[in-house]
């Protein structure tokens, strides 16, 4: 079993204990986190929405992100991944949300966002937002795969690991 699927299973167990749900807003991962969640048996009880917001237009239309922010900061930035996470939670009504936006390659258009730079955003039920970025190495497939695993691992470790199972 792929390691991302193992973490997804643990996420599901912890969310069920809390009677909580999660939704995703994905750009560079193109729905891969949502796929991993829906590959997990029983996920219909804790996974709500998967927004694939690959373009800035999609971020604006589906998540309600202000176009002026997209123009000012670009689709791959802390500001935008924060807005993606908040938008996913707001639109879905989920307890938690996960957002991912990055440059998977093979090319990048600027030095501030090199290939492999991926921003992650997470929102808790109290609407507090946690953001972090990581610079991954590898080809497009590897960067995307690592981004999915990282998002799931951070979500589990930061928000769910301390929940006591029965």
């Amino acid at each position: 079993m792929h390691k991302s699927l193992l973490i997804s299973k643990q996420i599901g167990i912890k969310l069920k204990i809390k009677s909580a749900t999660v939704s995703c807003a994905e750009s560079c991962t193109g729905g891969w986190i949502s796929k991993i969640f829906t590959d997990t048996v029983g996920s219909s009880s804790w996974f709500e929405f998967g927004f694939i917001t690959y373009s800035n237009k999609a971020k604006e239309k589906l998540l309600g992100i202000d176009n002026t922010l997209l123009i000012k900061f670009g689709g791959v930035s802390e500001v935008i991944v924060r807005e993606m996470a908040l938008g996913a939670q707001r639109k879905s009504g989920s307890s938690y949300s996960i957002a991912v936006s990055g440059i998977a390659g093979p090319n990048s258009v600027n030095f501030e966002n090199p290939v492999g730079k991926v921003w992650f955003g997470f929102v808790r039920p109290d609407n507090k937002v946690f953001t972090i970025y990581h610079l991954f190495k590898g080809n497009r497939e590897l960067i995307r795969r690592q981004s999915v695993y990282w998002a799931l691992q951070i979500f589990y470790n930061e928000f769910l690991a301390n929940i006591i199972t029965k």
Side-chain angles (χ1 to χ4, degrees), residues 35-36 49 66-68 74 91 110 115 129 156 158:
K35 182 208 180 311
I36 294 294
F49 284 68
D66 187 332
N67 187 47
T68 59
K91 296 280 186 176
N110 69 48
V115 171
V129 183
Y156 181 81
E158 294 296 322

Side-chain angles (χ1 to χ4, degrees), residues 73-90:
F73 297 102
V76 179
S77 65
E78 181 177 20
V79 169
I80 296 305
V81 83
R82 176 185 188 84
E83 291 299 312
M84 288 172 65
L86 287 166
Q89 186 189 43
R90 183 177 59 253

